Amino acid sequence: MTETEPGYAGMPETVPARMVNEYVYCPRLFYLEWVEGRFATSDDVEEGLYVHRVVDEPSVKVPSSADDLERFAGRTYRSVWLTSTSLGVSAKLDIVEVGPSGEVTPVDYKKGHPDRQGRPWPSDRVQSLLQALLLRESGYQVGSAEVWYAETRRRVEVPVDETSLDEVRTLLAGLWKVAGADHPPLPLDNSPKCPRCSLVGLCLPDEINVLRAREQESRRPRAVMAADPDNRPVYVSEQGATVGFRRGRLEASLNHETLGSFRLIDVSQVCLFGNVSVSAQAMRELFAREIPVCWFSYGGWFSGLAEGLPTKNIDLRRSQYTTSAAVLLDVACRMIEGKIKNSRTLLRRNSRTDVSTALAQLQNLSCQARQVEGYPSLLGVEGTAARLYFSEFVSMFSDDSSVDIETFDAGGRARRPPPDPVNAMLSFLYSILVKDVTVTLRAVGFDPYVGVLHRPRYGRPALALDLAEEFRPLVADSVVLQLVNNGEIRASHFISRAGACSLTADGRRAVLTAYERRMSHEIKHPVFGYRVNYRRAIDVQARILGAHLSGELPEYTPFTTR
């Protein structure tokens, strides 16, 4: 027999049997779900939960193996829990049936159907054998196991013999070895399992394989990424409003008048501007559903966020904290290279005057960003590129704009406080973008306050500011151009006082509407070739960064458009 006890310091005594099923399906899936605590639902997952509803209600206690089981012949028991520390496994058996001679048969409920030969799928077979092994460890006699498939509505028998049980013991030893590793296994290579996997959008199998050059140069990744979720941020900017929870819905109200009502499944985050309060009941419900609450000043300065317990992905944060300075500098160089290239692309596409000289200089600066030897040189390149870019920024505005752009043309980029409408919109949009990147980084497992370029300071999400650099031109700057050139923003949307310019409530609503429209805009991914919107692109970049810092990818690849 093969010893299966874990023997790894700090590891749990037992692993759930359903995780053994995941391990057989894909070792990387097992590691991401059980070791790192990552989870994502899908139609298949929800369908499986629906199929199991008929066996989730526990029945009366199962008779002991020491009882005369022949007296219980023909009886059926549901939701039977068994644990074996010698095997290192715990399981909830869907059905346990007692036969005429006292033998028991575990029956596992599965959605779907058997394979083409009418046999159970390998992961289902192993899970049934594991249930049989647990019953034997508890002293019961088990001659066979069965799997019931909902689609065909019939059972498939799984023979139980010593050879099969030894196979399960050997498999468990491999499972504990993977669980004790510092990093997840590499993703499957061009596997048909990936498209239906619920974690495909977190695992990024084809994307990682392409970036590791494990596939042929002529092949591009399949479009198997998880679809962009339907939920979206909720913004509340009415001063004095209250956000509460009532009858399963999130409600914003002011003076007992409802401003908006949203199903929680449609909400990805709650953003509060200025003097807006949120009830304790709403906070508890939002935490339970892992929906963050973000606070902004009245003028749009991102103040902080609150959410439930932090992500379990401690290995990623450990890699983030211990990565060498040389690796961090290389990542910072690639991010600034991406920012400069994207700034050049936006200028090339939208300028209404001859900016060929600036384009050539930006191209040269993007190359220099890859070759710097330290942070001072990198910051110098980034600052030079920013000044050059913003000096030509007004060339992208239409001539008949109703918004004051002359002040920006004369003074350039300025903040704290922004002196003109263009700077006011840029500052507000940069704050909203950093908020979204911060939420994404926390969801992936990063500490957003430990960056690769921006120095950590109290209350400043340095890593979010770093990753946002690539998307400032593509998202925030582009939104400003759309607002002004399409006439969606007017001079009446701004207030100027004591040399500072800020957006009115109507102005904020117009900017937020345009921002969400831009984040939902789909483009062709420059590396992977599939269609993706900017919100999902930020998520992919955060996961690529995590894969690089964890050692899965040799380098970080920035997001740049042509």
Side-chain angles (χ1 to χ4, degrees):
M1 289 188 180
T2 303
E3 182 65 36
T4 60
E5 290 186 53
Y8 292 97
M11 296 292 290
E13 289 187 349
T14 60
V15 60
R18 61 184 178 83
M19 287 293 119
V20 181
N21 182 298
E22 306 284 44
Y23 173 78
V24 176
Y25 188 83
C26 172
R28 181 178 175 88
L29 173 63
F30 157 74
Y31 191 97
L32 296 179
E33 283 199 342
W34 193 60
V35 180
E36 295 189 351
R38 302 199 219 177
F39 179 78
T41 191
S42 67
D43 291 343
D44 288 338
V45 172
E46 295 300 325
E47 183 182 349
L49 294 174
Y50 181 77
V51 168
H52 272 83
R53 76 194 189 285
V54 297
V55 292
D56 283 341
E57 186 67 27
S59 57
V60 296
K61 184 179 179 181
V62 180
S64 168
S65 57
D67 294 336
D68 181 10
L69 291 176
E70 292 186 11
R71 295 189 298 109
F72 300 91
R75 296 192 182 182
T76 297
Y77 301 91
R78 298 186 304 273
S79 293
V80 179
W81 279 99
L82 292 177
T83 298
S84 171
T85 55
S86 61
L87 291 173
V89 177
S90 63
K92 184 179 75 169
L93 283 61
D94 293 337
I95 293 288
V96 174
E97 295 179 343
V98 182
S101 59
E103 285 189 347
V104 298
T105 301
V107 182
D108 200 27
Y109 271 48
K110 297 291 183 184
K111 69 175 189 66
H113 55 80
D115 65 14
R116 294 180 178 178
Q117 286 74 40
R119 299 171 303 189
W121 298 100
S123 55
D124 298 341
R125 172 179 173 270
V126 167
Q127 189 168 4
S128 292
L129 288 172
L130 188 59
Q131 293 177 2
L133 189 57
L134 284 169
L135 286 168
R136 284 195 174 188
E137 288 276 328
S138 299
Y140 297 94
Q141 294 183 359
V142 184
S144 65
E146 294 179 347
V147 182
W148 183 84
Y149 286 101
E151 189 171 315
T152 59
R153 302 193 65 81
R154 69 182 184 89
R155 298 185 180 189
V156 179
E157 184 177 356
V158 179
V160 177
D161 53 44
E162 285 303 321
T163 301
S164 299
L165 297 181
D166 274 344
E167 175 189 340
V168 174
R169 295 186 182 98
T170 302
L171 185 143
L172 287 174
L175 176 147
W176 284 109
K177 185 176 180 179
V178 169
D182 291 334
H183 303 291
L186 290 175
L188 301 178
D189 189 3
N190 199 33
S191 171
K193 298 178 180 179
C194 296
R196 295 292 295 271
C197 177
S198 62
L199 259 64
V200 65
L202 283 65
C203 173
L204 303 183
D206 288 358
E207 290 82 351
I208 288 179
N209 284 334
V210 166
L211 294 177
R212 288 178 58 90
R214 291 176 60 193
E215 296 189 316
Q216 300 174 5
E217 293 290 335
S218 60
R219 290 172 56 191
R220 75 176 190 181
R222 300 162 295 171
V224 299
M225 290 177 52
D228 182 62
D230 294 328
N231 52 5
R232 288 290 182 267
V234 170
Y235 299 93
V236 184
S237 59
E238 294 292 336
Q239 299 306 286
T242 300
V243 177
F245 178 72
R246 182 183 182 189
R247 296 177 181 175
R249 300 178 70 92
L250 192 72
E251 293 188 349
S253 59
L254 178 64
N255 297 327
H256 305 291
E257 180 181 348
T258 301
L259 301 175
S261 180
F262 312 90
R263 299 184 304 171
L264 282 176
I265 60 173
D266 296 329
V267 179
S268 63
Q269 51 187 258
V270 179
C271 304
L272 311 177
F273 291 84
N275 184 28
V276 178
S277 60
V278 56
S279 70
Q281 294 89 340
M283 290 292 292
R284 285 199 303 269
E285 193 65 27
L286 292 168
F287 285 173
R289 295 173 180 261
E290 299 182 351
I291 300 174
V293 181
C294 306
W295 277 272
F296 296 81
S297 68
Y298 178 79
W301 182 260
F302 182 33
S303 305
L305 61 85
E307 58 183 351
L309 294 174
T311 174
K312 300 176 184 178
N313 194 0
I314 184 61
D315 288 335
L316 177 58
R317 292 194 291 279
R318 183 171 60 182
S319 298
Q320 180 186 3
Y321 299 145
T322 59
T323 299
S324 68
V327 172
L328 295 179
L329 175 61
D330 182 69
V331 173
C333 290
R334 297 304 305 273
M335 287 179 172
I336 295 304
E337 176 196 12
K339 175 188 178 181
I340 297 174
K341 285 185 174 180
N342 290 333
S343 299
R344 180 181 182 276
T345 298
L346 188 70
L347 191 61
R348 175 175 56 82
R349 288 179 177 177
N350 297 280
S351 179
R352 299 164 187 261
T353 61
D354 182 15
V355 291
S356 55
T357 301
L359 295 179
Q361 292 175 323
L362 288 172
Q363 178 66 31
N364 182 51
L365 288 169
S366 69
C367 295
Q368 290 183 32
R370 289 292 305 273
Q371 302 168 359
V372 299
E373 297 181 355
Y375 284 103
S377 300
L378 180 61
L379 291 173
V381 170
E382 192 271 339
T384 301
R387 286 191 295 272
L388 181 62
Y389 167 68
F390 281 116
S391 69
E392 301 289 350
F393 196 75
V394 294
S395 69
M396 295 185 282
F397 290 119
S398 62
D399 296 331
D400 56 350
S401 170
S402 62
V403 176
D404 173 25
I405 60 175
E406 285 77 12
T407 305
F408 183 88
D409 189 21
R413 177 74 179 115
R415 55 190 184 129
R416 296 182 183 177
D420 57 82
V422 175
N423 273 302
M425 288 187 288
L426 286 173
S427 294
F428 182 73
L429 285 163
Y430 288 167
S431 183
I432 298 298
L433 177 61
V434 169
K435 175 265 299 181
D436 277 338
V437 177
T438 301
V439 170
T440 299
L441 289 170
R442 291 182 69 96
V444 171
F446 279 106
D447 181 346
Y449 293 92
V450 179
V452 297
L453 174 63
H454 289 82
R455 297 183 61 182
R457 291 180 183 172
Y458 180 80
R460 182 169 76 171
L463 187 61
L465 291 168
D466 295 338
L467 187 57
E469 295 289 355
E470 302 169 32
F471 294 93
R472 288 178 190 264
L474 301 176
V475 176
D477 298 356
S478 179
V479 169
V480 172
L481 297 180
Q482 291 176 10
L483 285 166
V484 175
N485 293 339
N486 295 340
E488 298 178 58
I489 200 83
R490 301 181 300 277
S492 60
H493 286 139
F494 300 92
I495 299 176
S496 294
R497 293 174 180 170
C501 183
S502 62
L503 287 157
T504 65
D506 289 340
R508 282 198 301 271
R509 279 193 287 269
V511 173
L512 288 172
T513 299
Y515 173 81
E516 287 299 322
R517 184 174 67 235
R518 182 63 176 173
M519 290 291 278
S520 299
H521 176 70
E522 286 192 352
I523 60 170
K524 183 178 180 180
H525 197 286
V527 178
F528 306 127
Y530 46 60
R531 303 292 297 179
V532 60
N533 64 28
Y534 281 111
R535 190 177 299 280
R536 177 60 178 158
I538 293 173
D539 181 79
V540 172
Q541 285 305 114
R543 298 186 188 283
I544 289 175
L545 176 60
H548 173 54
L549 297 184
S550 299
E552 286 189 302
L553 293 176
E555 65 177 9
Y556 174 74
T557 303
F559 183 90
T560 57
T561 58
R562 296 185 179 90

